[in-house]
Amino acid sequence: MAKSEPEPIAEPEAQPEAQAAAEPEPTPEPEPAKAEAAASGDSRTVAGSGVNVRSGPGKSNGRVFGLAGGEKVTVSENRRGWLKITDDQGRTGWVYKDYLN
């Protein structure tokens, strides 16, 4: 019995440490991606038949204008999945990420 007790104790301790080290890595990654998108001027295309562009990052914000499917926009910021965009005419607003390719 003494041999079986130390072996399982040593193995589980090593595994959670490896898992714990792997879990924090994905959390910091989205933050640099937001900064990169803002710095690089990420170019995207409106998906589907079109999208409403809103005054702020949320569905409760008013519609400022609409964009047709296939139009190109530049992304400058990302807030919890809402992307701040600028269209070819220089207009800015917010679109949810699922509506852009």
Side-chain angles (χ1 to χ4, degrees):
M1 283 188 216
K3 292 180 183 177
S4 62
E5 290 178 17
E7 292 174 12
I9 292 170
E11 291 176 6
E13 288 177 13
Q15 291 174 353
E17 289 174 10
Q19 291 172 350
E23 289 176 15
E25 292 176 16
T27 305
E29 288 177 14
E31 293 175 21
K34 292 176 189 176
E36 289 173 14
S40 66
D42 186 15
S43 182
R44 307 268 182 108
T45 305
V46 175
S49 60
V51 65
N52 287 326
V53 181
R54 301 192 175 272
S55 61
K59 195 173 182 180
S60 62
N61 290 289
R63 180 184 183 275
V64 183
F65 59 94
L67 291 171
E71 289 193 56
K72 295 197 182 301
V73 296
T74 302
V75 176
S76 60
E77 195 174 336
N78 181 341
R79 290 193 189 167
R80 297 183 317 256
W82 285 87
L83 305 177
K84 186 173 186 181
I85 59 99
T86 303
D87 71 356
D88 291 341
Q89 298 175 25
R91 301 179 295 181
T92 61
W94 295 83
V95 174
Y96 194 68
K97 66 180 180 178
D98 291 351
Y99 297 100
L100 299 178
N101 291 327

